[in-house]
């Protein structure tokens, strides 16, 4: 039996019993933790605020026989305004789900934890459009998981691909392929999309990129990351809004 305190964020919860919830927490030093929050659905429970999605705080955990119970909580941030915008909320839930699919219990994942908090903060408190933010998150997510896409040279022959030349993204090999080594199912990636990814990988996932809403390759990065996950996602990857409504992406050149 032991009592510990962990900074963590709630990735998921499942109701059980009449008033309880099982929380799936992401701790930067301990990875995934399943912890029971007894009575948290009672209106005046002191664990009420601890048991919502996106809640970041210090969780007091009591451990017995490998099972955790939440015994106390202090809130750091709950990203509440995210609930006011359905598309941004959906992007945030997808990020939580990606983290849950990627990390393991007991795993130190500080880099991914900071990436998640940083991107959630931008998504919640800035007016940066969500499509480039999420695309940047996915590029950095791939980097933290060890499959940063290679974006200058063909991953098969090593030949440099000129910035304006046509190229495809090989999802299995993890980067660009030249025309000679492209498999039929490898999607094309436009020069502007490659430039976007190179820029965010060099300068941060919330980097300002000119024309970012047009050049952020959201669907492509969702496929790229999705192909590497061990577990299926519970949340559908969000789609960029159709062209013409202000945060759209048109055909790649
Ligand atoms: Zn090649």
């Amino acid at each position: 039996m032991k009592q510990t305190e962990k900074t963590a964020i709630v990735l998921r919860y499942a109701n059980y019993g009449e008033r309880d919830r099982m929380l799936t927490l992401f701790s930067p030093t301990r990875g995934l933790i399943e912890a029971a929050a007894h009575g948290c659905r009672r209106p005046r429970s002191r664990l009420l605020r601890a048991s919502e999605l996106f809640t970041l705080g210090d969780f007091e955990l009591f451990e017995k026989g490998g099972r955790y119970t939440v015994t106390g909580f202090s809130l750091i941030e709950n990203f509440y305004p995210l609930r006011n915008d359905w598309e941004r909320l959906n992007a945030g839930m997808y990020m939580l789900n990606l983290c849950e699919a990627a990390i393991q219990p007991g795993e130190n994942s500080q880099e991914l934890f900071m990436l998640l908090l940083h991107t959630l903060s931008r998504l919640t408190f800035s007016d940066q459009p969500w499509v480039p933010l999420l695309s940047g998150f996915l590029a950095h997510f791939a980097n933290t998981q060890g499959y940063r896409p290679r974006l200058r040279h063909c991953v098969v022959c090593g030949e440099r691909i000129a910035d304006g030349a046509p190229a495809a993204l090989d999802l299995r090999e993890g980067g660009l392929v030249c025309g000679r080594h492209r498999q039929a199912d490898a999607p094309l990636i436009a020069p502007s999309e490659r430039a976007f990814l190179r820029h965010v990988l060099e300068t941060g996932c919330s980097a300002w990129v000119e024309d970012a809403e047009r050049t952020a390759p959201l669907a492509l990065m969702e496929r790229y990351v999705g192909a590497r996950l061990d577990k299926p996602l519970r949340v559908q990857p969000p789609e960029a809004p159709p062209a013409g409504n202000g945060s759209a992406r048109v055909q790649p050149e």
Side-chain angles (χ1 to χ4, degrees):
M1 284 190 278
K2 71 178 181 207
Q3 188 78 36
T4 52
E5 186 173 307
K6 298 272 170 247
T7 300
I9 184 166
V10 178
L11 297 183
R12 179 153 72 107
Y13 64 77
N15 291 337
Y16 73 98
E18 290 201 355
R19 289 154 177 190
D20 308 327
R21 265 181 189 173
M22 183 59 75
L23 308 181
T24 302
L25 304 176
F26 176 10
S27 144
T29 54
R30 300 285 298 277
L32 282 188
I33 301 172
E34 300 279 335
H38 295 298
C40 67
R41 287 149 67 204
R42 275 199 305 259
R44 277 190 283 174
S45 168
R46 63 202 164 82
L47 298 181
L48 189 66
R49 293 196 308 170
S51 56
E52 297 291 342
L53 284 185
F54 301 105
T55 291
L56 170 71
D58 291 323
F59 291 79
E60 281 171 36
L61 299 175
F62 178 75
E63 192 239 310
K64 188 181 177 186
R67 291 173 184 272
Y68 289 92
T69 305
V70 184
T71 53
F73 171 73
S74 75
L75 180 72
I76 298 172
E77 177 57 62
N78 61 8
F79 301 101
Y80 196 81
L82 207 49
R83 282 115 175 128
N84 298 329
D85 182 318
W86 187 85
E87 286 188 329
R88 294 174 91 88
L89 175 64
N90 195 34
M93 289 177 57
Y94 172 64
M95 295 196 304
L96 297 187
N97 199 190
L98 282 173
C99 291
E100 187 190 338
I103 57 178
Q104 306 294 328
E107 186 182 353
N108 186 317
S109 305
Q110 307 216 29
E111 199 185 346
L112 178 57
F113 187 79
M114 293 315 296
L115 173 67
L116 176 64
L117 295 196
H118 178 76
T119 317
L120 278 179
S121 298
R122 290 279 177 164
L123 200 59
T124 309
F125 301 113
S126 83
D127 55 5
Q128 262 183 286
W130 69 270
V131 171
L133 265 178
L134 183 56
S135 306
F137 173 84
L138 287 163
H140 282 270
F141 178 90
N143 188 40
T144 67
Q145 300 305 299
Y147 46 87
R148 177 183 177 123
R150 281 167 284 171
L151 294 165
R152 289 197 190 275
H153 299 85
C154 171
V155 291
V156 179
C157 66
E159 201 169 282
R160 187 178 166 100
I161 295 174
D163 285 350
L169 185 70
D170 191 302
L171 306 179
R172 287 174 297 270
E173 297 292 336
L176 298 189
V177 276
C178 69
R180 278 183 300 140
H181 294 111
R182 182 189 174 199
Q183 304 287 319
D185 60 351
L188 289 171
I189 177 166
S192 60
E193 295 177 318
R194 276 131 59 188
F196 172 92
L197 291 175
R198 286 200 299 262
H199 186 72
V200 295
L201 280 167
E202 281 157 21
T203 55
C205 66
S206 57
W208 187 84
V209 180
E210 194 173 348
D211 213 9
E213 286 174 84
R214 198 178 65 83
T215 59
L218 179 63
L220 205 53
M221 288 311 293
E222 288 172 344
R223 278 182 68 184
Y224 182 77
V225 166
R228 302 289 185 119
L229 294 174
D230 297 333
K231 291 184 233 169
L233 292 175
R234 288 174 295 101
V235 175
Q236 283 290 319
E239 283 179 37
N245 71 355
S247 57
R249 183 169 159 249
V250 296
Q251 293 298 311
E253 64 263 47

